[in-house]
Amino acid sequence: MRHETGAAKHAVWPEDGADFSTHAIHRLHHDFHLHPLFQLAELAQLARELVPLQQCRFVRPGLTQASAFHHEASHPDGRDIDEVFRRMEEPGSWIALYNVEAIPRYAALLQEIIDGLRERVEREEPGIFAVTGFIFISAPPSVTPFHIDRENNFWLQLHGRKTLSVWDPTDREAISAAHVEDFIVSHTLREVRLKDSSRPNSYDFDSGPGDGVYFPTTSPHMTRSDAGWVMPGDGVSVSIGVTFYTSRTLRTARVHQFNRVCRKYLGMRPTYPGHSHALDAAKAPFGYLLAVSRQLALRALTAWGGIRSRQRPEEGWLGEKAPPGSY
């Protein structure tokens, strides 16, 4: 499955190709950790280009896996981006490079990753769109808190070591249906928190360069990186999430939109997406209409001046253009 690195070709492949499904969690392997654009010096240059776009994100000290996943566009100590990278091996350093597809050479690299897996994905979920990339760079001990995403995710470990913990997207002990629906509609993670009772249900992947994991939309996940592997000159962990939507992701989001209204305003307990294809097909058009109506109303109120959103991006989309996966 590997391509020749001498010809600058790289690949991602499932550990069990015959068993791979976009509906389940799977271990991956890859050789993109050898790609020139994923080396630390190139990532530092990428960060410099993303700073003016406010797409370099930082967290405050003391973050745990159970913390709210809040991040800021400036370093908590006021460091500029060059100093951040000079001191990247200091314990607890953490930076995320968001939406790296804004830089054309990385947009092309993300497409290269997706194109190598496109045939496998589109057997079950045609219509891949909105491919994005999120690169996490940290020095242990460091974590990424428990959260969910709208997108499907090819997660690749590029340098150092990290443990990724993932829960099945249907695990209602890890996260309730109501909180998934709130996230899809309002982008809020306020109630999405790690619970001790759900820890035994996670799949834990101890990952080094060349390892990866696929997980579907709304799969709860978190990471940690401990210092046991660190050696002089090798003290930074780098991973990337290559995320994407499909026609199925979009339909599922529309079902969540419909279910949220039924649950929140009509007191019903609607069937979760995926249990009935026929029921999902009936709900999805109504979910689309509800979502569009909500967005149009919020934009109208914003334009009229009655509402000005002061929320963090992760806490709401009031008056904003809806994210691609919401309808």
Side-chain angles (χ1 to χ4, degrees):
M1 294 296 297
R2 281 183 186 267
H3 294 241
E4 306 96 23
T5 57
K9 298 291 186 181
H10 302 277
V12 184
W13 61 95
E15 185 168 84
D16 186 348
D19 191 48
F20 180 81
S21 168
T22 57
H23 303 167
I25 299 163
H26 292 277
R27 181 177 282 282
L28 307 172
H29 298 289
H30 68 93
D31 57 11
F32 274 94
H33 60 293
L34 303 174
H35 197 287
L37 289 180
F38 284 143
Q39 307 314 305
L40 205 57
E42 288 294 330
L43 295 177
Q45 176 56 36
L46 171 62
R48 294 184 193 100
E49 295 173 62
L50 292 175
V51 165
L53 305 177
Q54 294 195 321
Q55 289 171 207
C56 293
R57 310 300 295 183
F58 304 90
V59 296
R60 296 194 173 279
L63 199 71
T64 72
Q65 291 179 312
S67 297
F69 193 9
H70 289 164
H71 42 75
E72 309 289 346
S74 58
H75 193 278
D77 294 338
R79 300 175 190 173
D80 65 26
I81 200 66
D82 290 323
E83 186 179 5
V84 167
F85 275 86
R86 281 196 303 270
R87 300 173 62 174
M88 186 53 69
E89 291 197 20
E90 291 182 3
S93 296
W94 193 101
I95 182 174
L97 311 182
Y98 269 44
N99 296 106
V100 302
E101 71 281 358
I103 306 304
R105 65 187 182 280
Y106 282 90
L109 181 52
L110 297 182
Q111 288 298 330
E112 182 182 345
I113 293 170
I114 287 292
D115 285 346
L117 293 157
R118 185 179 298 275
E119 182 179 354
R120 292 185 185 275
V121 171
E122 294 196 333
R123 287 174 192 167
E124 295 179 299
E125 298 193 35
I128 291 174
F129 70 101
V131 177
T132 57
F134 304 87
I135 299 175
F136 295 87
I137 307 170
S138 62
S142 59
V143 302
T144 301
F146 181 88
H147 66 288
I148 60 174
D149 300 317
R150 284 184 175 82
E151 308 94 330
N152 307 293
N153 197 320
F154 287 113
W155 181 89
L156 310 179
Q157 182 68 12
L158 300 171
H159 303 290
R161 298 201 70 83
K162 187 176 286 183
T163 298
L164 172 71
S165 299
V166 189
W167 284 255
D168 191 279
T170 61
D171 188 336
R172 301 281 69 84
E173 175 62 28
I175 181 171
S176 72
H179 294 156
V180 173
E181 291 158 10
D182 284 345
F183 174 72
I184 293 294
V185 175
S186 301
H187 210 227
T188 178
L189 291 169
R190 278 191 297 268
E191 304 300 330
V192 178
R193 293 289 188 276
L194 177 64
K195 295 181 287 189
D196 288 340
S197 59
S198 70
R199 284 183 181 267
N201 299 338
S202 70
Y203 299 88
D204 297 329
F205 298 91
D206 180 20
S207 304
D211 295 328
V213 180
Y214 167 79
F215 50 93
T217 173
T218 71
S219 298
H221 57 285
M222 62 186 187
T223 71
R224 72 175 188 274
S225 184
D226 303 315
W229 54 270
V230 172
M231 299 177 63
D234 181 20
V236 176
S237 175
V238 182
S239 60
I240 182 171
V242 181
T243 66
F244 61 97
Y245 298 102
T246 67
S247 56
R248 179 179 178 272
T249 318
L250 198 58
R251 187 184 71 172
T252 299
R254 292 171 178 173
V255 175
H256 281 306
Q257 295 269 3
F258 180 86
N259 282 356
R260 184 176 187 259
V261 171
C262 293
R263 188 185 309 278
K264 192 166 185 176
Y265 301 107
L266 303 179
M268 300 172 65
R269 299 182 64 183
T271 303
Y272 201 79
H275 286 283
S276 168
H277 180 82
L279 197 56
D280 288 351
K283 289 178 178 180
F286 293 102
Y288 171 75
L289 291 174
L290 288 167
V292 172
S293 298
R294 178 178 183 273
Q295 286 295 319
L296 289 175
L298 291 173
R299 290 180 205 170
L301 287 169
T302 300
W304 185 47
I307 293 178
R308 287 289 184 265
S309 175
R310 298 183 184 279
Q311 293 169 297
R312 297 173 186 269
E314 65 269 24
E315 291 179 345
W317 287 84
L318 191 59
E320 301 292 336
K321 184 178 186 298
S326 62
Y327 63 76

Tab-separated table of all heavy atoms in Angstrom, residues 67-108:
chain	number	residue	atom	x	y	z
A	67	SER	N	-11.755	19.554	30.878
A	67	SER	CA	-11.992	21.000	30.805
A	67	SER	C	-12.899	21.348	29.627
A	67	SER	O	-13.008	20.606	28.651
A	67	SER	CB	-10.665	21.748	30.621
A	67	SER	OG	-9.794	21.567	31.713
A	68	ALA	N	-13.515	22.528	29.721
A	68	ALA	CA	-14.174	23.090	28.546
A	68	ALA	C	-13.109	23.383	27.489
A	68	ALA	O	-12.012	23.845	27.811
A	68	ALA	CB	-14.911	24.369	28.927
A	69	PHE	N	-13.433	23.108	26.235
A	69	PHE	CA	-12.447	23.269	25.169
A	69	PHE	C	-12.491	24.705	24.643
A	69	PHE	O	-13.003	24.982	23.571
A	69	PHE	CB	-12.704	22.258	24.051
A	69	PHE	CG	-11.572	22.126	23.070
A	69	PHE	CD1	-10.339	22.721	23.297
A	69	PHE	CD2	-11.736	21.387	21.905
A	69	PHE	CE1	-9.292	22.601	22.397
A	69	PHE	CE2	-10.700	21.246	20.992
A	69	PHE	CZ	-9.489	21.861	21.239
A	70	HIS	N	-11.939	25.629	25.437
A	70	HIS	CA	-11.831	27.026	25.041
A	70	HIS	C	-10.414	27.304	24.548
A	70	HIS	O	-9.447	26.851	25.151
A	70	HIS	CB	-12.141	27.950	26.216
A	70	HIS	CG	-13.593	27.941	26.596
A	70	HIS	ND1	-14.030	28.430	27.806
A	70	HIS	CD2	-14.689	27.507	25.933
A	70	HIS	CE1	-15.352	28.292	27.883
A	70	HIS	NE2	-15.764	27.738	26.758
A	71	HIS	N	-10.303	28.036	23.464
A	71	HIS	CA	-8.988	28.410	22.949
A	71	HIS	C	-9.057	29.821	22.415
A	71	HIS	O	-10.122	30.334	22.060
A	71	HIS	CB	-8.507	27.428	21.874
A	71	HIS	CG	-9.580	27.020	20.897
A	71	HIS	ND1	-10.017	27.851	19.903
A	71	HIS	CD2	-10.284	25.873	20.780
A	71	HIS	CE1	-10.955	27.238	19.186
A	71	HIS	NE2	-11.149	26.044	19.700
A	72	GLU	N	-7.901	30.476	22.384
A	72	GLU	CA	-7.824	31.888	22.041
A	72	GLU	C	-6.880	32.102	20.860
A	72	GLU	O	-6.061	31.251	20.542
A	72	GLU	CB	-7.313	32.698	23.246
A	72	GLU	CG	-8.044	32.435	24.550
A	72	GLU	CD	-9.460	32.988	24.566
A	72	GLU	OE1	-9.775	33.805	23.671
A	72	GLU	OE2	-10.248	32.607	25.452
A	73	ALA	N	-6.989	33.275	20.242
A	73	ALA	CA	-6.151	33.605	19.088
A	73	ALA	C	-4.817	34.226	19.480
A	73	ALA	O	-4.017	34.551	18.603
A	73	ALA	CB	-6.908	34.553	18.162
A	74	SER	N	-4.559	34.388	20.771
A	74	SER	CA	-3.264	34.913	21.216
A	74	SER	C	-2.734	34.052	22.354
A	74	SER	O	-3.502	33.457	23.127
A	74	SER	CB	-3.391	36.366	21.671
A	74	SER	OG	-4.334	36.497	22.707
A	75	HIS	N	-1.407	33.975	22.445
A	75	HIS	CA	-0.780	33.156	23.478
A	75	HIS	C	-1.064	33.747	24.858
A	75	HIS	O	-1.029	34.970	25.023
A	75	HIS	CB	0.729	33.083	23.222
A	75	HIS	CG	1.421	32.044	24.033
A	75	HIS	ND1	1.811	32.266	25.341
A	75	HIS	CD2	1.789	30.763	23.739
A	75	HIS	CE1	2.389	31.186	25.814
A	75	HIS	NE2	2.390	30.255	24.863
A	76	PRO	N	-1.338	32.917	25.861
A	76	PRO	CA	-1.670	33.464	27.189
A	76	PRO	C	-0.555	34.292	27.809
A	76	PRO	O	-0.821	35.159	28.652
A	76	PRO	CB	-1.971	32.215	28.025
A	76	PRO	CG	-1.408	31.068	27.268
A	76	PRO	CD	-1.483	31.448	25.835
A	77	ASP	N	0.701	34.052	27.395
A	77	ASP	CA	1.822	34.846	27.913
A	77	ASP	C	2.240	35.966	26.962
A	77	ASP	O	3.268	36.612	27.166
A	77	ASP	CB	3.034	33.948	28.180
A	77	ASP	CG	2.776	32.960	29.303
A	77	ASP	OD1	1.875	33.221	30.123
A	77	ASP	OD2	3.456	31.913	29.347
A	78	GLY	N	1.487	36.160	25.890
A	78	GLY	CA	1.786	37.232	24.945
A	78	GLY	C	2.927	36.936	23.994
A	78	GLY	O	3.430	37.849	23.335
A	79	ARG	N	3.376	35.696	23.886
A	79	ARG	CA	4.498	35.366	22.996
A	79	ARG	C	4.096	35.535	21.530
A	79	ARG	O	2.971	35.205	21.145
A	79	ARG	CB	4.939	33.918	23.219
A	79	ARG	CG	5.410	33.610	24.623
A	79	ARG	CD	5.705	32.130	24.790
A	79	ARG	NE	5.928	31.787	26.194
A	79	ARG	CZ	6.080	30.541	26.639
A	79	ARG	NH1	6.062	29.521	25.797
A	79	ARG	NH2	6.270	30.327	27.932
A	80	ASP	N	5.036	35.994	20.702
A	80	ASP	CA	4.771	35.989	19.271
A	80	ASP	C	5.030	34.593	18.726
A	80	ASP	O	5.558	33.716	19.419
A	80	ASP	CB	5.586	37.062	18.543
A	80	ASP	CG	7.092	36.822	18.588
A	80	ASP	OD1	7.539	35.665	18.719
A	80	ASP	OD2	7.846	37.819	18.487
A	81	ILE	N	4.690	34.390	17.467
A	81	ILE	CA	4.695	33.031	16.935
A	81	ILE	C	6.112	32.462	16.846
A	81	ILE	O	6.318	31.256	17.042
A	81	ILE	CB	3.976	32.973	15.574
A	81	ILE	CG1	3.551	31.532	15.264
A	81	ILE	CG2	4.825	33.570	14.476
A	81	ILE	CD1	2.500	30.979	16.200
A	82	ASP	N	7.099	33.310	16.583
A	82	ASP	CA	8.472	32.809	16.516
A	82	ASP	C	8.937	32.327	17.890
A	82	ASP	O	9.597	31.280	17.998
A	82	ASP	CB	9.405	33.890	15.976
A	82	ASP	CG	9.174	34.165	14.502
A	82	ASP	OD1	8.904	33.195	13.759
A	82	ASP	OD2	9.246	35.331	14.088
A	83	GLU	N	8.587	33.063	18.936
A	83	GLU	CA	8.965	32.631	20.275
A	83	GLU	C	8.228	31.367	20.669
A	83	GLU	O	8.793	30.487	21.328
A	83	GLU	CB	8.683	33.734	21.295
A	83	GLU	CG	9.188	33.383	22.697
A	83	GLU	CD	8.936	34.479	23.711
A	83	GLU	OE1	8.284	35.488	23.369
A	83	GLU	OE2	9.383	34.318	24.872
A	84	VAL	N	6.975	31.260	20.259
A	84	VAL	CA	6.213	30.035	20.536
A	84	VAL	C	6.960	28.825	20.007
A	84	VAL	O	7.134	27.821	20.710
A	84	VAL	CB	4.800	30.122	19.918
A	84	VAL	CG1	4.123	28.745	19.922
A	84	VAL	CG2	3.950	31.125	20.678
A	85	PHE	N	7.451	28.887	18.777
A	85	PHE	CA	8.133	27.732	18.193
A	85	PHE	C	9.539	27.554	18.751
A	85	PHE	O	10.011	26.417	18.866
A	85	PHE	CB	8.121	27.833	16.665
A	85	PHE	CG	6.855	27.286	16.067
A	85	PHE	CD1	5.740	28.093	15.934
A	85	PHE	CD2	6.762	25.964	15.684
A	85	PHE	CE1	4.557	27.596	15.416
A	85	PHE	CE2	5.586	25.448	15.153
A	85	PHE	CZ	4.476	26.261	15.018
A	86	ARG	N	10.218	28.647	19.105
A	86	ARG	CA	11.535	28.490	19.734
A	86	ARG	C	11.415	27.737	21.055
A	86	ARG	O	12.325	26.994	21.430
A	86	ARG	CB	12.174	29.865	19.975
A	86	ARG	CG	12.811	30.503	18.760
A	86	ARG	CD	13.736	31.653	19.142
A	86	ARG	NE	13.063	32.694	19.911
A	86	ARG	CZ	12.457	33.743	19.362
A	86	ARG	NH1	12.428	33.881	18.043
A	86	ARG	NH2	11.881	34.651	20.135
A	87	ARG	N	10.301	27.916	21.754
A	87	ARG	CA	10.129	27.320	23.077
A	87	ARG	C	9.144	26.158	23.058
A	87	ARG	O	8.627	25.749	24.086
A	87	ARG	CB	9.649	28.408	24.053
A	87	ARG	CG	10.642	29.557	24.170
A	87	ARG	CD	10.111	30.721	24.992
A	87	ARG	NE	9.834	30.341	26.383
A	87	ARG	CZ	9.465	31.216	27.319
A	87	ARG	NH1	9.330	32.503	27.012
A	87	ARG	NH2	9.225	30.808	28.550
A	88	MET	N	8.927	25.584	21.863
A	88	MET	CA	7.897	24.566	21.715
A	88	MET	C	8.154	23.315	22.541
A	88	MET	O	7.229	22.610	22.938
A	88	MET	CB	7.721	24.199	20.230
A	88	MET	CG	6.554	23.239	19.953
A	88	MET	SD	4.959	23.789	20.618
A	88	MET	CE	4.634	25.191	19.568
A	89	GLU	N	9.431	23.009	22.834
A	89	GLU	CA	9.720	21.797	23.601
A	89	GLU	C	9.567	21.998	25.105
A	89	GLU	O	9.731	21.046	25.870
A	89	GLU	CB	11.129	21.282	23.274
A	89	GLU	CG	11.245	20.726	21.863
A	89	GLU	CD	12.479	19.853	21.668
A	89	GLU	OE1	13.035	19.371	22.674
A	89	GLU	OE2	12.878	19.666	20.510
A	90	GLU	N	9.216	23.204	25.533
A	90	GLU	CA	8.972	23.399	26.960
A	90	GLU	C	7.714	22.635	27.372
A	90	GLU	O	6.704	22.668	26.663
A	90	GLU	CB	8.803	24.882	27.272
A	90	GLU	CG	10.084	25.687	27.109
A	90	GLU	CD	9.900	27.156	27.475
A	90	GLU	OE1	8.780	27.519	27.908
A	90	GLU	OE2	10.863	27.923	27.330
A	91	PRO	N	7.757	21.924	28.498
A	91	PRO	CA	6.604	21.110	28.915
A	91	PRO	C	5.304	21.915	28.940
A	91	PRO	O	5.261	23.043	29.432
A	91	PRO	CB	6.994	20.647	30.322
A	91	PRO	CG	8.481	20.634	30.305
A	91	PRO	CD	8.883	21.797	29.454
A	92	GLY	N	4.271	21.314	28.357
A	92	GLY	CA	2.956	21.933	28.356
A	92	GLY	C	2.692	22.903	27.225
A	92	GLY	O	1.581	23.433	27.114
A	93	SER	N	3.687	23.151	26.347
A	93	SER	CA	3.449	24.038	25.200
A	93	SER	C	2.346	23.445	24.318
A	93	SER	O	2.265	22.225	24.148
A	93	SER	CB	4.732	24.205	24.384
A	93	SER	OG	5.733	24.841	25.150
A	94	TRP	N	1.522	24.320	23.730
A	94	TRP	CA	0.360	23.835	22.957
A	94	TRP	C	-0.051	24.907	21.964
A	94	TRP	O	-0.242	26.067	22.314
A	94	TRP	CB	-0.793	23.557	23.913
A	94	TRP	CG	-1.967	22.777	23.397
A	94	TRP	CD1	-2.216	21.457	23.610
A	94	TRP	CD2	-3.081	23.266	22.624
A	94	TRP	NE1	-3.406	21.088	23.019
A	94	TRP	CE2	-3.963	22.187	22.405
A	94	TRP	CE3	-3.422	24.518	22.102
A	94	TRP	CZ2	-5.149	22.318	21.694
A	94	TRP	CZ3	-4.611	24.644	21.365
A	94	TRP	CH2	-5.459	23.557	21.174
A	95	ILE	N	-0.167	24.531	20.694
A	95	ILE	CA	-0.704	25.406	19.660
A	95	ILE	C	-1.474	24.552	18.671
A	95	ILE	O	-1.082	23.424	18.362
A	95	ILE	CB	0.409	26.217	18.941
A	95	ILE	CG1	-0.195	27.152	17.889
A	95	ILE	CG2	1.445	25.299	18.310
A	95	ILE	CD1	0.816	28.087	17.248
A	96	ALA	N	-2.581	25.088	18.189
A	96	ALA	CA	-3.362	24.432	17.141
A	96	ALA	C	-3.412	25.345	15.928
A	96	ALA	O	-3.633	26.558	16.067
A	96	ALA	CB	-4.757	24.112	17.633
A	97	LEU	N	-3.195	24.784	14.755
A	97	LEU	CA	-3.281	25.516	13.493
A	97	LEU	C	-4.591	25.119	12.834
A	97	LEU	O	-4.757	23.970	12.408
A	97	LEU	CB	-2.087	25.189	12.595
A	97	LEU	CG	-0.703	25.288	13.261
A	97	LEU	CD1	0.397	24.995	12.249
A	97	LEU	CD2	-0.497	26.646	13.912
A	98	TYR	N	-5.530	26.060	12.789
A	98	TYR	CA	-6.882	25.774	12.345
A	98	TYR	C	-7.075	26.105	10.864
A	98	TYR	O	-6.521	27.076	10.358
A	98	TYR	CB	-7.884	26.586	13.169
A	98	TYR	CG	-8.375	25.861	14.394
A	98	TYR	CD1	-7.496	25.168	15.221
A	98	TYR	CD2	-9.718	25.860	14.734
A	98	TYR	CE1	-7.944	24.492	16.347
A	98	TYR	CE2	-10.181	25.196	15.864
A	98	TYR	CZ	-9.289	24.518	16.666
A	98	TYR	OH	-9.744	23.847	17.779
A	99	ASN	N	-7.879	25.261	10.193
A	99	ASN	CA	-8.249	25.494	8.793
A	99	ASN	C	-7.031	25.795	7.934
A	99	ASN	O	-6.959	26.819	7.255
A	99	ASN	CB	-9.272	26.620	8.696
A	99	ASN	CG	-10.583	26.270	9.377
A	99	ASN	OD1	-10.877	26.774	10.458
A	99	ASN	ND2	-11.360	25.394	8.776
A	100	VAL	N	-6.090	24.866	7.950
A	100	VAL	CA	-4.837	25.078	7.218
A	100	VAL	C	-5.054	25.099	5.712
A	100	VAL	O	-4.175	25.526	4.963
A	100	VAL	CB	-3.783	24.006	7.598
A	100	VAL	CG1	-3.524	24.028	9.098
A	100	VAL	CG2	-4.181	22.614	7.136
A	101	GLU	N	-6.245	24.681	5.262
A	101	GLU	CA	-6.551	24.731	3.831
A	101	GLU	C	-6.628	26.163	3.314
A	101	GLU	O	-6.684	26.385	2.094
A	101	GLU	CB	-7.857	23.992	3.530
A	101	GLU	CG	-9.132	24.661	4.018
A	101	GLU	CD	-9.391	24.472	5.505
A	101	GLU	OE1	-8.591	23.768	6.173
A	101	GLU	OE2	-10.397	25.017	5.990
A	102	ALA	N	-6.609	27.151	4.218
A	102	ALA	CA	-6.557	28.552	3.792
A	102	ALA	C	-5.261	28.874	3.059
A	102	ALA	O	-5.194	29.866	2.315
A	102	ALA	CB	-6.716	29.471	5.009
A	103	ILE	N	-4.245	28.057	3.269
A	103	ILE	CA	-2.945	28.236	2.604
A	103	ILE	C	-2.883	27.233	1.450
A	103	ILE	O	-2.954	26.019	1.673
A	103	ILE	CB	-1.791	28.007	3.593
A	103	ILE	CG1	-1.972	28.899	4.836
A	103	ILE	CG2	-0.461	28.261	2.919
A	103	ILE	CD1	-2.107	30.384	4.561
A	104	PRO	N	-2.760	27.687	0.204
A	104	PRO	CA	-2.945	26.805	-0.956
A	104	PRO	C	-2.112	25.521	-0.945
A	104	PRO	O	-2.612	24.458	-1.316
A	104	PRO	CB	-2.585	27.699	-2.145
A	104	PRO	CG	-2.962	29.075	-1.678
A	104	PRO	CD	-2.610	29.097	-0.219
A	105	ARG	N	-0.843	25.591	-0.524
A	105	ARG	CA	-0.035	24.371	-0.580
A	105	ARG	C	-0.556	23.317	0.410
A	105	ARG	O	-0.423	22.113	0.168
A	105	ARG	CB	1.444	24.689	-0.336
A	105	ARG	CG	1.779	25.230	1.040
A	105	ARG	CD	3.243	25.671	1.115
A	105	ARG	NE	3.631	26.155	2.443
A	105	ARG	CZ	3.354	27.376	2.896
A	105	ARG	NH1	2.693	28.238	2.136
A	105	ARG	NH2	3.744	27.736	4.119
A	106	TYR	N	-1.162	23.759	1.512
A	106	TYR	CA	-1.727	22.803	2.460
A	106	TYR	C	-3.109	22.341	2.009
A	106	TYR	O	-3.496	21.193	2.283
A	106	TYR	CB	-1.752	23.398	3.871
A	106	TYR	CG	-0.380	23.334	4.504
A	106	TYR	CD1	0.527	24.383	4.342
A	106	TYR	CD2	0.040	22.211	5.204
A	106	TYR	CE1	1.803	24.312	4.876
A	106	TYR	CE2	1.316	22.135	5.742
A	106	TYR	CZ	2.197	23.191	5.580
A	106	TYR	OH	3.471	23.109	6.107
A	107	ALA	N	-3.837	23.192	1.304
A	107	ALA	CA	-5.098	22.738	0.707
A	107	ALA	C	-4.837	21.589	-0.258
A	107	ALA	O	-5.558	20.580	-0.266
A	107	ALA	CB	-5.786	23.898	-0.010
A	108	ALA	N	-3.778	21.723	-1.070
A	108	ALA	CA	-3.424	20.656	-2.003
A	108	ALA	C	-2.996	19.394	-1.264
A	108	ALA	O	-3.332	18.269	-1.680
A	108	ALA	CB	-2.308	21.137	-2.931
